[in-house]
Amino acid sequence: MKSMGNWEGEADLNKKLRTAIAIVGIHSLHFFLAASSIIHRPSSMGRLRLPLLLLIIVIVNGGCSSRCRAIAFSPAKKLHMRDKVRSMFYHAYDNYMAHAFPHDELKPLTNNFTDSLSELGNLNLQFLPQNYNGSALSLIESLSTLLVLGNFTEFQRGVMWLSENLTFDVDARVNLFECNIRVLGGLISAHILASENKSWFSNISYNDRLLHLARDLGKRFLPAFETPTGLPYAWINLKHGVMENETTETSTSGCGSLILEMGALSRLTSDSRFEGAALRALRKLWNMRSSLDLLGTTLNVLTGEWIEYSSGIGAGVDSFYEYLLKAYILFGSDEYWDMFHSAYLAVQKYFRHGPWYHEADMRSGKATYWQLTSLQAFWPGLQTLVGDVAAANLSHREFFYVWKKYGVLPERYLLEHATLHPTERYYPLRPELAESTYYLYQATKDPWYLEVGESIVASLNSHTKVDGGFASVRDVSTMQLEDHQHSFFLSETCKYLYLLYDDSFVAGRNFVFTTEGHPLPVRSLWHERLPEAYITSNRTSFKTSRVSPLSSQVCPEMIRGAKVESACHVPDLRVNHQCTSDAECGIDSTSCRKRTCSIAGYCGLWRFVH
């Protein structure tokens, strides 16, 4: 191994890095600049030079172990794994179509169905509709995955069936957030893909049929936003609007994760009401943050007051952070970046403990619950998008450790006791770990992530596959199964695993994936203000001659010799870095780790968290 003070192979490594990083479109900018700028700044690492550069070599170049993995993961083996995932999807999809369609979701243990759209988020199963017979939810969720797998014929069949049969004029009370990300997002994504490839509909005319359905659904959402605060009700009746005496409680995710789908709908229909309602709610929610830039988990939509002050990056809040960054990429407004940047700094400062993220009180920043929730596993993927690849890798490995410990990822895991939550021990086929694995592999091309995917595939086939599809796990300690195949298994879990081994669908194209895994194209016409480093065309591409605003807002802090603030950086209290306590020290800009005060009274990265 070369001396840490002499990077004789730097040019060669940068060449390998440029060759290796093949993430599509706008994401490539984040990954490439973040990773390459880490390599260009060994002199600024001080006492941490050796550990950090070792980490970089492991992540980017992989050393001998990665070379051995690359040999083990030959192109033939990648194709084999791709075909295994393809078989998983069709086993789930075909059983749904045979035993549950056109109802919402499959019950794989009994070859039956459930009309679950009105049950999603409805823990007490209140106000269930009497005459609702499903909305073909799993078919809607499957459309973009069918295209990722290259099945244009089945995609066309699905589009035409929905065009001719789906209606939202039904007396059904649904969760606004769930219906938005699953149904509206699925319809919008499928419409865009269909309209870009109208030749697939050789014998019939498409005529924007899915867009008409999406607009009808979006209009049925609008009464939910008619509150004094602009924050939407969590529940809406598709036929009658907001019910009398409807609950006024909602979550941060529930009213802060609508902007991608409703913003896209406005741009497709030239009807600003959808994006306006979602943006007004998002701005109100952001104005409710504490002085620490933290938000709570649940709130009252009429009064705008918080109900639950404890918060984290998991259930009830997760997609709020995700949509701030992705809305910035999709729509190009600095307002979204400014919100995300402040929120991200606060998360790093108050929630992070080594590679883990606990929950904290939004008012004081003090830790409340030390637990891992399975929804948190999306976070390494989000960190990869913003450029914090090293931090993403550390957290991802901890999630994978828990997966290996139990065979799947439990809903909650108590960090203090390193054990399962007493009641929330289930695994409903969630996609978040597969999602983050896909992003990290695209950013690093480290074959280790292919091995992670192989382990996930093996676990799913071993523990959840049954004759009638894939069943959720009721208790990960016993692997007792539950009679439910969630639609996101088709829209996300299978999609991200397939893309891990075959990314031809996204190669050379620009997509943002919604929180439900539905691809939305990054279009210059959708940007409020196109960054100068991008050309004016339908496909956003990077000009190497200039640095764009995007590139100046990702971690780490050095980009082409120009010093910019990293996404995770919190400076020390004093310019000379002297301190009397850890509270006066900030967050390191490269590793995103908390700096601490030494015995000599200086801030630095004195302690290592393994």
Side-chain angles (χ1 to χ4, degrees):
M1 180 170 168
K2 293 181 174 62
S3 164
M4 292 299 102
N6 181 19
W7 273 68
E8 297 174 351
E10 180 178 324
D12 181 58
L13 182 56
N14 275 321
K15 182 179 179 181
K16 292 180 181 178
L17 181 66
R18 291 186 178 93
T19 302
I21 294 178
I23 194 70
V24 300
I26 206 164
H27 301 336
S28 60
L29 181 63
H30 289 286
F31 293 142
F32 172 74
L33 290 176
S36 62
S37 53
I38 290 175
I39 294 171
H40 276 97
R41 57 187 308 273
S43 62
S44 65
M45 296 176 189
R47 300 172 64 132
L48 262 192
R49 179 181 298 172
L50 178 61
L52 184 56
L53 291 181
L54 282 171
L55 178 61
I56 291 169
I57 290 174
V58 169
I59 291 176
V60 177
N61 208 25
C64 179
S65 60
S66 254
R67 229 175 281 120
C68 296
R69 291 192 189 104
I71 295 172
F73 245 98
S74 63
K77 185 171 183 180
K78 286 185 70 175
L79 291 176
H80 172 69
M81 288 304 303
R82 179 200 68 180
D83 292 342
K84 287 187 73 170
V85 178
R86 182 194 298 272
S87 296
M88 288 170 58
F89 171 81
Y90 282 118
H91 183 67
Y93 177 79
D94 290 345
N95 273 286
Y96 163 73
M97 295 300 290
H99 303 296
F101 175 78
H103 298 277
D104 288 332
E105 291 178 320
L106 172 68
K107 302 181 79 169
L109 299 179
T110 58
N111 291 335
N112 211 327
F113 62 83
T114 172
D115 290 319
S116 52
L117 185 59
S118 61
E119 299 173 3
L120 297 172
N122 190 352
L123 299 180
N124 298 322
L125 299 180
Q126 296 176 313
F127 311 112
L128 295 180
Q130 300 300 313
N131 299 310
Y132 173 66
N133 295 310
S135 301
L137 174 63
S138 291
L139 174 60
I140 295 172
E141 292 262 69
S142 297
L143 290 177
S144 60
T145 309
L146 286 168
L147 284 189
V148 168
L149 272 60
N151 193 337
F152 309 122
T153 301
E154 189 66 13
F155 174 81
Q156 175 189 318
R157 287 179 56 200
V159 168
M160 298 315 299
W161 188 94
L162 292 169
S163 302
E164 295 167 0
N165 296 277
L166 184 60
T167 177
F168 297 117
D169 191 27
V170 291
D171 186 5
R173 176 180 178 264
V174 301
N175 183 277
L176 177 67
F177 168 75
E178 295 288 356
C179 196
N180 175 73
I181 64 172
R182 299 195 194 209
V183 183
L184 185 62
L187 291 174
I188 290 173
S189 176
H191 159 71
I192 294 172
L193 295 171
S195 61
E196 290 180 346
N197 300 276
K198 291 185 178 180
S199 60
W200 296 338
F201 301 85
S202 54
N203 300 322
I204 48 179
S205 178
Y206 169 59
N207 291 330
D208 297 339
R209 300 184 184 192
L210 296 187
L211 181 59
H212 297 321
L213 285 169
R215 183 170 188 173
D216 177 52
L217 181 59
K219 289 193 292 185
R220 295 174 189 274
F221 285 174
L222 292 178
F225 294 86
E226 295 174 1
T227 64
T229 62
L231 298 168
Y233 283 95
W235 298 91
I236 187 76
N237 185 291
L238 292 177
K239 191 178 186 70
H240 303 296
V242 178
M243 295 175 58
E244 187 176 357
N245 298 320
E246 182 59 84
T247 177
T248 59
E249 182 175 343
T250 191
S251 67
T252 298
S253 290
C255 55
S257 308
L258 307 168
I259 191 63
L260 290 188
E261 294 82 2
M262 297 190 75
L265 182 59
S266 281
R267 281 161 170 72
L268 291 168
T269 62
S270 300
D271 187 337
S272 63
R273 290 180 297 169
F274 310 114
E275 183 173 9
L279 182 55
R280 181 187 175 205
L282 184 60
R283 286 170 172 164
K284 173 61 179 178
L285 188 65
W286 182 243
N287 287 335
M288 292 168 57
R289 70 192 186 279
S290 72
S291 60
L292 306 179
D293 284 335
L294 296 177
L295 292 87
T297 303
T298 58
L299 57 134
N300 186 303
V301 300
L302 296 184
T303 65
E305 296 177 348
W306 291 105
I307 298 173
E308 175 56 63
Y309 292 99
S310 180
S311 183
I313 59 170
V317 189
D318 51 350
S319 53
F320 165 76
Y321 297 109
E322 178 185 3
Y323 272 34
L324 289 179
L325 178 60
K326 290 183 176 179
Y328 173 60
I329 296 172
L330 192 62
F331 302 131
S333 171
D334 284 340
E335 180 180 9
Y336 298 119
W337 172 262
D338 292 340
M339 287 189 279
F340 173 78
H341 184 259
S342 298
Y344 189 84
L345 293 179
V347 166
Q348 296 299 101
K349 184 173 183 179
Y350 296 106
F351 294 163
R352 187 176 180 184
H353 181 76
W356 298 105
Y357 289 84
H358 57 74
E359 296 180 24
D361 190 303
M362 63 173 286
R363 299 164 295 186
S364 64
K366 293 183 178 179
T368 52
Y369 301 108
W370 291 80
Q371 58 185 355
L372 170 152
T373 64
S374 62
L375 288 171
Q376 292 176 352
F378 90 100
W379 190 254
L382 187 68
Q383 288 189 299
T384 306
L385 281 183
V386 81
D388 290 340
V389 180
N393 172 71
L394 292 176
S395 293
H396 176 272
R397 288 173 183 262
E398 298 299 333
F399 283 110
F400 185 54
Y401 164 77
V402 178
W403 177 285
K404 294 288 287 185
K405 182 176 181 178
Y406 293 104
V408 292
L409 197 61
E411 189 70 3
R412 290 186 188 270
Y413 177 79
L414 304 180
L415 296 175
E416 286 183 294
H417 307 289
T419 188
L420 290 171
H421 188 276
T423 58
E424 298 187 41
R425 309 158 76 94
Y426 52 89
Y427 170 69
L429 306 174
R430 291 202 189 278
E432 284 75 18
L433 183 60
E435 176 186 3
S436 288
T437 303
Y438 161 69
Y439 280 119
L440 277 162
Y441 176 67
Q442 289 285 1
T444 66
K445 294 303 180 185
D446 187 337
W448 182 78
Y449 295 108
L450 300 178
E451 295 180 6
V452 172
E454 184 178 23
S455 179
I456 294 173
V457 169
S459 292
L460 290 171
N461 281 309
S462 174
H463 300 304
T464 71
K465 185 178 181 181
V466 296
D467 290 342
F470 284 83
S472 300
V473 178
R474 187 185 299 274
D475 188 332
V476 302
S477 65
T478 64
M479 288 299 171
Q480 177 188 4
L481 298 179
E482 182 177 354
D483 197 13
H484 198 169
Q485 179 181 285
H486 290 269
S487 63
F488 52 67
F489 181 74
L490 297 162
S491 69
E492 295 185 85
T493 309
C494 290
K495 181 184 281 121
Y496 287 122
L497 288 171
Y498 188 89
L499 287 170
L500 180 64
Y501 299 106
D502 184 349
D503 63 357
S504 56
F505 174 79
V506 297
R509 305 173 71 186
N510 303 322
F511 289 106
V512 167
F513 288 95
T514 71
T515 197
E516 195 71 7
H518 298 303
L520 298 175
V522 179
R523 293 175 166 176
S524 60
L525 294 177
W526 285 13
H527 275 233
E528 295 181 10
R529 178 182 54 79
L530 189 65
E532 293 179 2
Y534 292 90
I535 62 174
T536 304
S537 70
N538 197 43
R539 177 171 296 167
T540 311
S541 59
F542 180 60
K543 286 184 177 178
T544 57
S545 60
R546 301 190 64 178
V547 177
S548 75
L550 281 172
S551 67
S552 66
Q553 294 170 334
V554 296
C555 186
E557 63 180 3
M558 294 297 292
I559 295 177
R560 300 189 181 183
K563 195 163 186 175
V564 297
E565 184 181 15
S566 66
C568 58
H569 185 215
V570 176
D572 298 330
L573 182 64
R574 298 182 179 88
V575 176
N576 62 7
H577 308 294
Q578 290 184 336
C579 56
T580 58
S581 68
D582 289 350
E584 296 176 351
C585 299
I587 295 175
D588 181 69
S589 63
T590 300
S591 66
C592 296
R593 287 170 46 197
K594 181 74 174 71
R595 292 160 62 84
T596 56
C597 192
S598 69
I599 297 176
Y602 285 89
C603 293
L605 294 171
W606 310 118
R607 294 200 293 258
F608 293 91
V609 180
H610 297 284

